[in-house]
Amino acid sequence: MRIAFLRSNPINPDVRLEKEIYSLVKAGEEITALGWDRECIHKKKEKRYINGCSYLIYRIRQKASFGGGIKKNFFPLVIFELKLGCWIWKNRKKYDVIHACDFDTALMAFLIGKVTGKKYIYDIFDYYVDCYHVPNNLKGIIEK
């Protein structure tokens, strides 16, 4: 099976993600990870090894600040979402499952999964409303 992991960080490193990837690669699955490089300093494409098992990382370069909140990062987030959607769509024949690891990647995983008939997983690494500054009037919407 071919799995595309989506993460809203640059995957440099991401211990939990790497543990999941290692387990799947060790079991014979083909893994590709896509991350958000907010600082635009990481390689756009990189081959990584975990205990002799390899996988590919692609990064979307879109300037944004960590911890900047929705007010500061709204437009960079929208651009990231569009680039994420384009990447998932363009590469749809290269994976069987979409694995979104956080709220910022879940919407595109859901939408493109529905359109393409691909299976998708929303694995909540961080509970969004507890980990990030979210305006009170949006918390209920995000939780649902």
Side-chain angles (χ1 to χ4, degrees), residues 8 38 69-70 77 102-104 122 124-134 142-143:
S8 65
R38 298 172 192 224
I70 194 76
L77 176 61
D102 32 41
F103 185 73
D104 294 338
Y122 176 32
I124 303 171
F125 277 22
D126 304 308
Y127 193 62
Y128 202 84
V129 296
D130 290 340
C131 294
Y132 304 100
H133 174 70
V134 176
I142 290 172
E143 287 177 327

Side-chain angles (χ1 to χ4, degrees), residues 34-67:
L34 179 66
W36 182 1
D37 181 5
R38 298 172 192 224
E39 298 170 299
C40 302
I41 60 171
H42 302 283
K43 294 178 183 176
K44 285 179 128 180
K45 181 180 178 183
E46 178 180 357
K47 191 171 192 175
R48 277 274 175 89
Y49 296 90
I50 304 174
N51 297 331
C53 297
S54 69
Y55 68 99
L56 285 174
I57 297 175
Y58 292 89
R59 294 185 181 94
I60 293 172
R61 289 183 169 171
Q62 177 56 51
K63 282 272 189 195
S65 63
F66 284 100

Side-chain angles (χ1 to χ4, degrees), residues 5 20 27 53 63 69-70 86-87 93 95 100 102 108 134 143:
F5 275 85
E20 289 188 22
C53 297
K63 282 272 189 195
I70 194 76
C86 288
W87 187 93
K93 294 182 180 174
Y95 58 83
D102 32 41
M108 282 299 163
V134 176
E143 287 177 327

Side-chain angles (χ1 to χ4, degrees), residues 5 16-25 99 123 125:
F5 275 85
R16 179 174 171 178
L17 178 67
E18 290 171 344
K19 284 180 182 180
E20 289 188 22
I21 288 173
Y22 174 66
S23 295
L24 291 165
V25 169
H99 188 131
D123 185 2
F125 277 22

